[in-house]
Every structure is written in C-alpha cells, then in structure tokens.
Short mmCIF file of all heavy atoms in Angstrom, two decimals:
data_model
loop_
_atom_site.label_atom_id
_atom_site.label_comp_id
_atom_site.label_asym_id
_atom_site.label_seq_id
_atom_site.Cartn_x
_atom_site.Cartn_y
_atom_site.Cartn_z
N MET Q 1413 -7.96 2.41 -3.25
CA MET Q 1413 -7.73 1.41 -2.22
C MET Q 1413 -8.86 0.41 -2.26
O MET Q 1413 -10.02 0.79 -2.25
CB MET Q 1413 -7.63 2.09 -0.88
CG MET Q 1413 -7.26 1.17 0.27
SD MET Q 1413 -5.59 0.60 0.26
CE MET Q 1413 -4.66 2.10 0.35
N TYR Q 1414 -8.52 -0.85 -2.35
CA TYR Q 1414 -9.54 -1.92 -2.37
C TYR Q 1414 -9.42 -2.77 -1.13
O TYR Q 1414 -8.34 -2.95 -0.61
CB TYR Q 1414 -9.33 -2.80 -3.60
CG TYR Q 1414 -9.60 -2.10 -4.91
CD1 TYR Q 1414 -8.59 -1.44 -5.59
CD2 TYR Q 1414 -10.85 -2.08 -5.41
CE1 TYR Q 1414 -8.80 -0.80 -6.78
CE2 TYR Q 1414 -11.13 -1.42 -6.60
CZ TYR Q 1414 -10.09 -0.76 -7.26
OH TYR Q 1414 -10.35 -0.10 -8.45
N GLY Q 1415 -10.54 -3.22 -0.65
CA GLY Q 1415 -10.60 -4.17 0.43
C GLY Q 1415 -11.22 -5.52 -0.06
O GLY Q 1415 -12.18 -5.50 -0.81
N LEU Q 1416 -10.61 -6.60 0.33
CA LEU Q 1416 -11.09 -7.91 -0.01
C LEU Q 1416 -11.72 -8.51 1.24
O LEU Q 1416 -11.09 -8.66 2.28
CB LEU Q 1416 -9.96 -8.80 -0.51
CG LEU Q 1416 -10.34 -10.23 -0.82
CD1 LEU Q 1416 -10.93 -10.27 -2.20
CD2 LEU Q 1416 -9.13 -11.13 -0.81
N TYR Q 1417 -13.02 -8.83 1.18
CA TYR Q 1417 -13.78 -9.37 2.30
C TYR Q 1417 -14.12 -10.82 2.03
O TYR Q 1417 -14.51 -11.17 0.91
CB TYR Q 1417 -15.06 -8.54 2.51
CG TYR Q 1417 -14.82 -7.18 3.00
CD1 TYR Q 1417 -14.51 -6.17 2.08
CD2 TYR Q 1417 -14.82 -6.86 4.31
CE1 TYR Q 1417 -14.23 -4.87 2.53
CE2 TYR Q 1417 -14.60 -5.58 4.78
CZ TYR Q 1417 -14.29 -4.59 3.87
OH TYR Q 1417 -14.06 -3.32 4.32
N ASP Q 1418 -14.03 -11.67 3.04
CA ASP Q 1418 -14.45 -13.03 2.83
C ASP Q 1418 -16.00 -13.16 2.99
O ASP Q 1418 -16.64 -12.16 3.22
CB ASP Q 1418 -13.73 -13.99 3.83
CG ASP Q 1418 -14.15 -13.82 5.29
OD1 ASP Q 1418 -15.15 -13.16 5.57
OD2 ASP Q 1418 -13.42 -14.40 6.16
N LYS Q 1419 -16.50 -14.35 2.78
CA LYS Q 1419 -17.97 -14.52 2.76
C LYS Q 1419 -18.61 -14.21 4.08
O LYS Q 1419 -19.82 -14.00 4.19
CB LYS Q 1419 -18.35 -15.93 2.31
CG LYS Q 1419 -17.95 -17.03 3.26
CD LYS Q 1419 -18.33 -18.38 2.75
CE LYS Q 1419 -17.87 -19.50 3.65
NZ LYS Q 1419 -18.24 -20.80 3.11
N ASN Q 1420 -17.82 -14.14 5.15
CA ASN Q 1420 -18.30 -13.82 6.49
C ASN Q 1420 -18.22 -12.29 6.76
O ASN Q 1420 -18.57 -11.84 7.85
CB ASN Q 1420 -17.55 -14.58 7.58
CG ASN Q 1420 -17.76 -16.08 7.44
OD1 ASN Q 1420 -18.86 -16.54 7.23
ND2 ASN Q 1420 -16.70 -16.80 7.51
N GLY Q 1421 -17.74 -11.56 5.77
CA GLY Q 1421 -17.65 -10.11 5.93
C GLY Q 1421 -16.41 -9.62 6.66
O GLY Q 1421 -16.32 -8.45 7.03
N ILE Q 1422 -15.40 -10.50 6.84
CA ILE Q 1422 -14.17 -10.14 7.50
C ILE Q 1422 -13.16 -9.60 6.44
O ILE Q 1422 -12.93 -10.22 5.42
CB ILE Q 1422 -13.57 -11.34 8.19
CG1 ILE Q 1422 -14.52 -11.83 9.31
CG2 ILE Q 1422 -12.19 -11.02 8.82
CD1 ILE Q 1422 -14.12 -13.11 9.99
N LEU Q 1423 -12.62 -8.39 6.75
CA LEU Q 1423 -11.61 -7.81 5.84
C LEU Q 1423 -10.36 -8.67 5.88
O LEU Q 1423 -9.73 -8.86 6.91
CB LEU Q 1423 -11.29 -6.39 6.30
CG LEU Q 1423 -10.28 -5.63 5.46
CD1 LEU Q 1423 -10.78 -5.44 4.02
CD2 LEU Q 1423 -10.03 -4.25 6.08
N ARG Q 1424 -9.98 -9.22 4.71
CA ARG Q 1424 -8.81 -10.12 4.65
C ARG Q 1424 -7.60 -9.46 4.04
O ARG Q 1424 -6.44 -9.87 4.31
CB ARG Q 1424 -9.18 -11.33 3.81
CG ARG Q 1424 -10.21 -12.21 4.44
CD ARG Q 1424 -9.71 -12.85 5.69
NE ARG Q 1424 -10.69 -13.68 6.31
CZ ARG Q 1424 -10.51 -14.31 7.43
NH1 ARG Q 1424 -9.40 -14.18 8.09
NH2 ARG Q 1424 -11.48 -15.03 7.98
N PHE Q 1425 -7.77 -8.41 3.17
CA PHE Q 1425 -6.67 -7.86 2.47
C PHE Q 1425 -7.01 -6.45 1.98
O PHE Q 1425 -8.15 -6.22 1.56
CB PHE Q 1425 -6.27 -8.72 1.26
CG PHE Q 1425 -5.01 -8.35 0.57
CD1 PHE Q 1425 -3.79 -8.63 1.11
CD2 PHE Q 1425 -5.08 -7.70 -0.67
CE1 PHE Q 1425 -2.61 -8.29 0.45
CE2 PHE Q 1425 -3.93 -7.34 -1.33
CZ PHE Q 1425 -2.67 -7.64 -0.78
N VAL Q 1426 -6.07 -5.51 2.09
CA VAL Q 1426 -6.25 -4.13 1.57
C VAL Q 1426 -5.07 -3.78 0.71
O VAL Q 1426 -3.93 -4.05 1.11
CB VAL Q 1426 -6.41 -3.14 2.73
CG1 VAL Q 1426 -6.47 -1.74 2.21
CG2 VAL Q 1426 -7.60 -3.43 3.61
N ASN Q 1427 -5.33 -3.22 -0.48
CA ASN Q 1427 -4.22 -2.83 -1.38
C ASN Q 1427 -4.76 -1.76 -2.31
O ASN Q 1427 -5.94 -1.70 -2.60
CB ASN Q 1427 -3.72 -4.03 -2.12
CG ASN Q 1427 -2.39 -3.77 -2.79
OD1 ASN Q 1427 -2.28 -3.07 -3.75
ND2 ASN Q 1427 -1.32 -4.40 -2.25
N SER Q 1428 -3.86 -0.96 -2.82
CA SER Q 1428 -4.26 0.05 -3.77
C SER Q 1428 -4.52 -0.51 -5.17
O SER Q 1428 -5.09 0.17 -6.04
CB SER Q 1428 -3.21 1.16 -3.89
OG SER Q 1428 -1.96 0.64 -4.30
N ASP Q 1429 -4.15 -1.72 -5.40
CA ASP Q 1429 -4.26 -2.37 -6.70
C ASP Q 1429 -5.31 -3.48 -6.63
O ASP Q 1429 -5.20 -4.44 -5.85
CB ASP Q 1429 -2.91 -2.97 -7.11
CG ASP Q 1429 -2.90 -3.71 -8.44
OD1 ASP Q 1429 -3.83 -3.45 -9.25
OD2 ASP Q 1429 -1.98 -4.52 -8.66
N LYS Q 1430 -6.36 -3.37 -7.45
CA LYS Q 1430 -7.44 -4.35 -7.45
C LYS Q 1430 -6.91 -5.75 -7.78
O LYS Q 1430 -7.28 -6.75 -7.21
CB LYS Q 1430 -8.51 -3.94 -8.49
CG LYS Q 1430 -9.66 -4.88 -8.57
CD LYS Q 1430 -10.70 -4.34 -9.56
CE LYS Q 1430 -11.84 -5.24 -9.68
NZ LYS Q 1430 -12.88 -4.68 -10.65
N GLY Q 1431 -5.91 -5.78 -8.76
CA GLY Q 1431 -5.35 -7.06 -9.16
C GLY Q 1431 -4.62 -7.76 -8.02
O GLY Q 1431 -4.64 -8.98 -7.91
N ALA Q 1432 -4.01 -7.00 -7.14
CA ALA Q 1432 -3.30 -7.57 -5.99
C ALA Q 1432 -4.31 -8.25 -5.04
O ALA Q 1432 -4.04 -9.33 -4.49
CB ALA Q 1432 -2.53 -6.54 -5.20
N CYS Q 1433 -5.47 -7.68 -4.89
CA CYS Q 1433 -6.53 -8.28 -4.08
C CYS Q 1433 -7.00 -9.58 -4.72
O CYS Q 1433 -7.16 -10.58 -4.00
CB CYS Q 1433 -7.72 -7.31 -3.94
SG CYS Q 1433 -7.39 -5.92 -2.83
N LEU Q 1434 -7.15 -9.59 -6.00
CA LEU Q 1434 -7.58 -10.83 -6.67
C LEU Q 1434 -6.49 -11.90 -6.63
O LEU Q 1434 -6.79 -13.07 -6.48
CB LEU Q 1434 -7.96 -10.49 -8.12
CG LEU Q 1434 -9.18 -9.54 -8.28
CD1 LEU Q 1434 -9.38 -9.14 -9.74
CD2 LEU Q 1434 -10.41 -10.21 -7.70
N ASP Q 1435 -5.22 -11.48 -6.73
CA ASP Q 1435 -4.11 -12.41 -6.57
C ASP Q 1435 -4.09 -13.01 -5.21
O ASP Q 1435 -3.81 -14.20 -5.06
CB ASP Q 1435 -2.76 -11.72 -6.86
CG ASP Q 1435 -2.60 -11.34 -8.31
OD1 ASP Q 1435 -3.34 -11.91 -9.17
OD2 ASP Q 1435 -1.71 -10.52 -8.60
N TYR Q 1436 -4.39 -12.23 -4.16
CA TYR Q 1436 -4.44 -12.73 -2.76
C TYR Q 1436 -5.55 -13.79 -2.70
O TYR Q 1436 -5.33 -14.86 -2.11
CB TYR Q 1436 -4.73 -11.56 -1.82
CG TYR Q 1436 -4.82 -11.99 -0.38
CD1 TYR Q 1436 -3.69 -11.97 0.43
CD2 TYR Q 1436 -6.06 -12.35 0.16
CE1 TYR Q 1436 -3.80 -12.36 1.76
CE2 TYR Q 1436 -6.15 -12.74 1.49
CZ TYR Q 1436 -5.03 -12.72 2.27
OH TYR Q 1436 -5.13 -13.12 3.57
N ALA Q 1437 -6.66 -13.49 -3.23
CA ALA Q 1437 -7.77 -14.49 -3.18
C ALA Q 1437 -7.38 -15.76 -3.88
O ALA Q 1437 -7.64 -16.85 -3.40
CB ALA Q 1437 -9.04 -13.87 -3.85
N GLU Q 1438 -6.71 -15.64 -5.03
CA GLU Q 1438 -6.26 -16.83 -5.78
C GLU Q 1438 -5.24 -17.57 -4.97
O GLU Q 1438 -5.27 -18.87 -4.93
CB GLU Q 1438 -5.70 -16.43 -7.11
CG GLU Q 1438 -5.26 -17.56 -7.96
CD GLU Q 1438 -4.73 -17.17 -9.33
OE1 GLU Q 1438 -4.99 -16.01 -9.74
OE2 GLU Q 1438 -4.07 -17.98 -9.97
N LEU Q 1439 -4.28 -16.90 -4.37
CA LEU Q 1439 -3.23 -17.50 -3.54
C LEU Q 1439 -3.82 -18.42 -2.45
O LEU Q 1439 -3.36 -19.50 -2.18
CB LEU Q 1439 -2.31 -16.49 -2.96
CG LEU Q 1439 -1.22 -16.95 -2.00
CD1 LEU Q 1439 -0.18 -17.80 -2.79
CD2 LEU Q 1439 -0.56 -15.82 -1.34
N PHE Q 1440 -4.91 -17.94 -1.84
CA PHE Q 1440 -5.53 -18.67 -0.73
C PHE Q 1440 -6.77 -19.46 -1.20
O PHE Q 1440 -7.59 -19.89 -0.41
CB PHE Q 1440 -5.88 -17.73 0.42
CG PHE Q 1440 -4.69 -17.23 1.18
CD1 PHE Q 1440 -4.09 -16.02 0.87
CD2 PHE Q 1440 -4.04 -18.03 2.10
CE1 PHE Q 1440 -2.95 -15.62 1.49
CE2 PHE Q 1440 -2.92 -17.64 2.75
CZ PHE Q 1440 -2.39 -16.40 2.42
N GLU Q 1441 -6.84 -19.67 -2.53
CA GLU Q 1441 -7.88 -20.48 -3.14
C GLU Q 1441 -9.27 -20.07 -2.74
O GLU Q 1441 -10.14 -20.91 -2.48
CB GLU Q 1441 -7.63 -21.98 -2.86
CG GLU Q 1441 -6.26 -22.45 -3.40
CD GLU Q 1441 -5.98 -23.89 -3.12
OE1 GLU Q 1441 -6.74 -24.57 -2.38
OE2 GLU Q 1441 -4.94 -24.37 -3.60
N MET Q 1442 -9.47 -18.76 -2.67
CA MET Q 1442 -10.81 -18.21 -2.39
C MET Q 1442 -11.50 -18.05 -3.75
O MET Q 1442 -11.02 -17.35 -4.65
CB MET Q 1442 -10.71 -16.85 -1.69
CG MET Q 1442 -10.08 -16.95 -0.31
SD MET Q 1442 -9.82 -15.29 0.42
CE MET Q 1442 -11.51 -14.80 0.72
N HIS Q 1443 -12.65 -18.69 -3.92
CA HIS Q 1443 -13.36 -18.58 -5.18
C HIS Q 1443 -14.27 -17.37 -5.13
O HIS Q 1443 -14.58 -16.86 -4.08
CB HIS Q 1443 -14.19 -19.86 -5.39
CG HIS Q 1443 -13.32 -21.10 -5.40
ND1 HIS Q 1443 -12.50 -21.41 -6.42
CD2 HIS Q 1443 -13.11 -22.06 -4.46
CE1 HIS Q 1443 -11.82 -22.55 -6.16
NE2 HIS Q 1443 -12.18 -22.95 -4.94
N SER Q 1444 -14.67 -16.87 -6.30
CA SER Q 1444 -15.42 -15.62 -6.36
C SER Q 1444 -16.72 -15.67 -5.63
O SER Q 1444 -17.23 -14.61 -5.24
CB SER Q 1444 -15.68 -15.24 -7.85
OG SER Q 1444 -16.49 -16.24 -8.44
N THR Q 1445 -17.26 -16.80 -5.31
CA THR Q 1445 -18.45 -16.89 -4.52
C THR Q 1445 -18.15 -16.77 -3.04
O THR Q 1445 -19.07 -16.65 -2.21
CB THR Q 1445 -19.18 -18.24 -4.78
OG1 THR Q 1445 -18.28 -19.33 -4.48
CG2 THR Q 1445 -19.71 -18.31 -6.20
N ASN Q 1446 -16.88 -16.78 -2.67
CA ASN Q 1446 -16.46 -16.67 -1.24
C ASN Q 1446 -15.86 -15.35 -0.84
O ASN Q 1446 -15.34 -15.22 0.29
CB ASN Q 1446 -15.48 -17.82 -0.93
CG ASN Q 1446 -16.13 -19.19 -1.04
OD1 ASN Q 1446 -17.31 -19.34 -0.75
ND2 ASN Q 1446 -15.37 -20.16 -1.39
N TYR Q 1447 -15.83 -14.36 -1.76
CA TYR Q 1447 -15.28 -13.05 -1.41
C TYR Q 1447 -15.96 -11.97 -2.21
O TYR Q 1447 -16.69 -12.22 -3.16
CB TYR Q 1447 -13.74 -13.03 -1.65
CG TYR Q 1447 -13.35 -13.07 -3.10
CD1 TYR Q 1447 -13.34 -11.93 -3.90
CD2 TYR Q 1447 -12.94 -14.27 -3.68
CE1 TYR Q 1447 -12.94 -11.98 -5.21
CE2 TYR Q 1447 -12.54 -14.33 -4.99
CZ TYR Q 1447 -12.55 -13.17 -5.75
OH TYR Q 1447 -12.13 -13.21 -7.04
N CYS Q 1448 -15.75 -10.75 -1.77
CA CYS Q 1448 -16.17 -9.58 -2.50
C CYS Q 1448 -15.13 -8.49 -2.37
O CYS Q 1448 -14.33 -8.46 -1.39
CB CYS Q 1448 -17.55 -9.08 -2.00
SG CYS Q 1448 -17.56 -8.54 -0.33
N LEU Q 1449 -15.12 -7.52 -3.33
CA LEU Q 1449 -14.19 -6.41 -3.30
C LEU Q 1449 -14.98 -5.15 -3.04
O LEU Q 1449 -16.15 -5.02 -3.49
CB LEU Q 1449 -13.52 -6.27 -4.66
CG LEU Q 1449 -12.47 -7.32 -5.00
CD1 LEU Q 1449 -11.99 -7.07 -6.41
CD2 LEU Q 1449 -11.35 -7.28 -4.03
N MET Q 1450 -14.35 -4.23 -2.34
CA MET Q 1450 -14.98 -2.90 -2.12
C MET Q 1450 -13.94 -1.85 -2.44
O MET Q 1450 -12.77 -1.95 -1.91
CB MET Q 1450 -15.50 -2.75 -0.72
CG MET Q 1450 -16.14 -1.42 -0.47
SD MET Q 1450 -16.70 -1.22 1.25
CE MET Q 1450 -18.17 -2.22 1.21
N ASP Q 1451 -14.27 -0.86 -3.22
CA ASP Q 1451 -13.38 0.24 -3.48
C ASP Q 1451 -13.48 1.19 -2.32
O ASP Q 1451 -14.46 1.93 -2.17
CB ASP Q 1451 -13.81 0.93 -4.83
CG ASP Q 1451 -12.87 2.05 -5.21
OD1 ASP Q 1451 -12.04 2.44 -4.36
OD2 ASP Q 1451 -12.97 2.52 -6.35
N LEU Q 1452 -12.51 1.16 -1.40
CA LEU Q 1452 -12.62 1.93 -0.17
C LEU Q 1452 -12.38 3.41 -0.36
O LEU Q 1452 -12.98 4.24 0.31
CB LEU Q 1452 -11.59 1.38 0.83
CG LEU Q 1452 -11.78 -0.09 1.26
CD1 LEU Q 1452 -10.68 -0.51 2.20
CD2 LEU Q 1452 -13.13 -0.30 1.90
N VAL Q 1453 -11.52 3.80 -1.29
CA VAL Q 1453 -11.23 5.22 -1.51
C VAL Q 1453 -12.46 5.96 -2.03
O VAL Q 1453 -12.81 7.02 -1.58
CB VAL Q 1453 -10.05 5.41 -2.48
CG1 VAL Q 1453 -9.86 6.88 -2.84
CG2 VAL Q 1453 -8.78 4.87 -1.81
N GLU Q 1454 -13.15 5.33 -2.99
CA GLU Q 1454 -14.31 5.94 -3.60
C GLU Q 1454 -15.42 6.16 -2.56
O GLU Q 1454 -16.24 7.04 -2.70
CB GLU Q 1454 -14.78 5.10 -4.73
CG GLU Q 1454 -15.91 5.73 -5.56
CD GLU Q 1454 -16.21 4.86 -6.74
OE1 GLU Q 1454 -15.38 4.77 -7.64
OE2 GLU Q 1454 -17.36 4.31 -6.78
N ASN Q 1455 -15.42 5.36 -1.53
CA ASN Q 1455 -16.53 5.36 -0.52
C ASN Q 1455 -16.17 6.15 0.70
O ASN Q 1455 -16.87 6.04 1.73
CB ASN Q 1455 -16.86 3.89 -0.15
CG ASN Q 1455 -17.37 3.16 -1.38
OD1 ASN Q 1455 -18.14 3.72 -2.17
ND2 ASN Q 1455 -16.98 1.93 -1.53
N MET Q 1456 -15.09 6.95 0.69
CA MET Q 1456 -14.75 7.75 1.86
C MET Q 1456 -15.58 8.98 1.91
O MET Q 1456 -15.83 9.62 0.84
CB MET Q 1456 -13.25 8.15 1.83
CG MET Q 1456 -12.37 6.95 1.98
SD MET Q 1456 -10.61 7.37 1.82
CE MET Q 1456 -10.40 8.38 3.29
N ASP Q 1457 -16.08 9.37 3.09
CA ASP Q 1457 -16.86 10.57 3.23
C ASP Q 1457 -15.97 11.80 3.48
O ASP Q 1457 -14.72 11.70 3.45
CB ASP Q 1457 -17.96 10.46 4.30
CG ASP Q 1457 -17.41 10.33 5.68
OD1 ASP Q 1457 -16.20 10.65 5.88
OD2 ASP Q 1457 -18.16 9.96 6.55
N LYS Q 1458 -16.55 12.95 3.75
CA LYS Q 1458 -15.79 14.20 3.89
C LYS Q 1458 -14.81 14.18 5.04
O LYS Q 1458 -13.81 14.88 4.99
CB LYS Q 1458 -16.77 15.36 4.15
CG LYS Q 1458 -17.69 15.59 2.98
CD LYS Q 1458 -18.73 16.66 3.33
CE LYS Q 1458 -19.82 16.73 2.25
NZ LYS Q 1458 -20.85 17.61 2.61
N GLU Q 1459 -15.01 13.38 6.08
CA GLU Q 1459 -14.12 13.33 7.25
C GLU Q 1459 -13.07 12.22 7.10
O GLU Q 1459 -12.40 11.88 8.06
CB GLU Q 1459 -14.94 13.10 8.50
CG GLU Q 1459 -15.94 14.27 8.75
CD GLU Q 1459 -16.82 13.93 9.97
OE1 GLU Q 1459 -16.66 12.86 10.59
OE2 GLU Q 1459 -17.66 14.77 10.23
N ASN Q 1460 -12.93 11.66 5.90
CA ASN Q 1460 -11.95 10.56 5.61
C ASN Q 1460 -12.23 9.32 6.43
O ASN Q 1460 -11.31 8.53 6.63
CB ASN Q 1460 -10.53 11.03 5.86
CG ASN Q 1460 -10.09 12.09 4.87
OD1 ASN Q 1460 -10.51 12.04 3.72
ND2 ASN Q 1460 -9.27 13.02 5.26
N ASP Q 1461 -13.50 9.10 6.83
CA ASP Q 1461 -13.86 7.85 7.42
C ASP Q 1461 -14.37 6.95 6.31
O ASP Q 1461 -14.95 7.41 5.39
CB ASP Q 1461 -14.96 8.07 8.45
CG ASP Q 1461 -14.50 8.81 9.70
OD1 ASP Q 1461 -13.31 8.71 10.06
OD2 ASP Q 1461 -15.31 9.56 10.29
N PHE Q 1462 -14.15 5.65 6.51
CA PHE Q 1462 -14.61 4.71 5.47
C PHE Q 1462 -16.10 4.51 5.58
O PHE Q 1462 -16.63 4.32 6.66
CB PHE Q 1462 -13.90 3.34 5.60
CG PHE Q 1462 -12.42 3.42 5.24
CD1 PHE Q 1462 -11.48 3.21 6.21
CD2 PHE Q 1462 -12.04 3.69 3.96
CE1 PHE Q 1462 -10.11 3.29 5.89
CE2 PHE Q 1462 -10.73 3.73 3.61
CZ PHE Q 1462 -9.74 3.56 4.58
N ASN Q 1463 -16.78 4.53 4.45
CA ASN Q 1463 -18.20 4.23 4.39
C ASN Q 1463 -18.28 2.76 3.93
O ASN Q 1463 -18.10 2.41 2.78
CB ASN Q 1463 -18.88 5.13 3.39
CG ASN Q 1463 -20.33 4.81 3.21
OD1 ASN Q 1463 -20.87 3.89 3.86
ND2 ASN Q 1463 -21.03 5.57 2.43
N LEU Q 1464 -18.55 1.85 4.88
CA LEU Q 1464 -18.56 0.46 4.59
C LEU Q 1464 -19.99 -0.04 4.36
O LEU Q 1464 -20.37 -1.13 4.78
CB LEU Q 1464 -17.90 -0.33 5.75
CG LEU Q 1464 -16.41 0.01 5.94
CD1 LEU Q 1464 -15.87 -0.77 7.13
CD2 LEU Q 1464 -15.63 -0.24 4.73
N ASP Q 1465 -20.74 0.77 3.64
CA ASP Q 1465 -22.15 0.39 3.28
C ASP Q 1465 -22.09 -0.87 2.47
O ASP Q 1465 -21.49 -0.88 1.33
CB ASP Q 1465 -22.75 1.54 2.49
CG ASP Q 1465 -24.18 1.32 2.13
OD1 ASP Q 1465 -24.71 0.15 2.24
OD2 ASP Q 1465 -24.85 2.28 1.68
N PRO Q 1466 -22.75 -1.97 2.92
CA PRO Q 1466 -22.71 -3.21 2.17
C PRO Q 1466 -23.33 -3.11 0.77
O PRO Q 1466 -23.06 -3.94 -0.08
CB PRO Q 1466 -23.48 -4.19 3.04
CG PRO Q 1466 -24.21 -3.35 3.98
CD PRO Q 1466 -23.51 -2.01 4.11
N ASN Q 1467 -24.18 -2.09 0.53
CA ASN Q 1467 -24.76 -1.90 -0.78
C ASN Q 1467 -23.77 -1.44 -1.82
O ASN Q 1467 -24.04 -1.48 -3.02
CB ASN Q 1467 -25.92 -0.94 -0.72
CG ASN Q 1467 -27.03 -1.42 0.14
OD1 ASN Q 1467 -27.36 -2.64 0.10
ND2 ASN Q 1467 -27.59 -0.62 0.95
N LEU Q 1468 -22.55 -1.04 -1.41
CA LEU Q 1468 -21.53 -0.54 -2.31
C LEU Q 1468 -20.51 -1.62 -2.68
O LEU Q 1468 -19.60 -1.35 -3.42
CB LEU Q 1468 -20.78 0.68 -1.66
CG LEU Q 1468 -21.67 1.87 -1.39
CD1 LEU Q 1468 -20.88 2.93 -0.63
CD2 LEU Q 1468 -22.30 2.42 -2.60
N VAL Q 1469 -20.71 -2.84 -2.23
CA VAL Q 1469 -19.77 -3.92 -2.45
C VAL Q 1469 -19.97 -4.41 -3.87
O VAL Q 1469 -21.05 -4.59 -4.37
CB VAL Q 1469 -19.99 -5.04 -1.43
CG1 VAL Q 1469 -19.11 -6.22 -1.76
CG2 VAL Q 1469 -19.74 -4.57 0.00
N GLU Q 1470 -18.84 -4.68 -4.53
CA GLU Q 1470 -18.84 -5.22 -5.88
C GLU Q 1470 -19.13 -6.73 -5.86
O GLU Q 1470 -18.50 -7.46 -5.13
CB GLU Q 1470 -17.52 -5.01 -6.55
CG GLU Q 1470 -17.38 -5.56 -7.95
CD GLU Q 1470 -16.00 -5.27 -8.55
OE1 GLU Q 1470 -15.35 -4.29 -8.17
OE2 GLU Q 1470 -15.61 -6.12 -9.37
N ASN Q 1471 -20.08 -7.16 -6.63
CA ASN Q 1471 -20.46 -8.56 -6.75
C ASN Q 1471 -19.51 -9.21 -7.77
O ASN Q 1471 -19.37 -8.74 -8.83
CB ASN Q 1471 -21.91 -8.75 -7.16
CG ASN Q 1471 -22.31 -10.14 -7.18
OD1 ASN Q 1471 -21.51 -11.09 -7.10
ND2 ASN Q 1471 -23.61 -10.38 -7.26
N ASN Q 1472 -18.87 -10.31 -7.35
CA ASN Q 1472 -17.88 -10.96 -8.22
C ASN Q 1472 -18.45 -12.17 -8.98
O ASN Q 1472 -17.69 -12.88 -9.57
CB ASN Q 1472 -16.70 -11.44 -7.35
CG ASN Q 1472 -16.00 -10.28 -6.78
OD1 ASN Q 1472 -15.58 -9.37 -7.47
ND2 ASN Q 1472 -15.85 -10.27 -5.43
N ASN Q 1473 -19.74 -12.33 -8.96
CA ASN Q 1473 -20.37 -13.49 -9.67
C ASN Q 1473 -20.67 -13.14 -11.08
O ASN Q 1473 -21.13 -12.23 -11.51
CB ASN Q 1473 -21.56 -13.98 -8.92
CG ASN Q 1473 -21.16 -14.55 -7.60
OD1 ASN Q 1473 -20.10 -15.12 -7.48
ND2 ASN Q 1473 -21.99 -14.36 -6.61
#
C-alpha cells in the first residue's frame, strides 16, 4: 500500500499500486518536487498501526 503526500504533508492518494499513485500525481500535474511516496504496508508495526515516520518517505528527486 502506497500513500502519496503533497509538499505540505497532506495524504492525497492511497493505492496498492505505486504506479497508480504516480499516475494520480501526473493527472493533477504534481511534479516530483511537490510530492513524496511512502510504502505504508512496509511501515506497519505489530499492532497494524501505520508508522508515518517522515524519515521513511521515498525521495522522488
């Protein structure tokens, strides 16, 4: 599961497909400097809560 965040850190789109998140960004003309992706499934802890540690965000530059 991937989350697409805008440059203000607001979650804009969630999908199980990374490509769908990138397509969403392209559709709304969001350039790679204006968003970041986070793999939400990989960052889940034992209690199935999301770990939204900003250090785990993928840099798209």
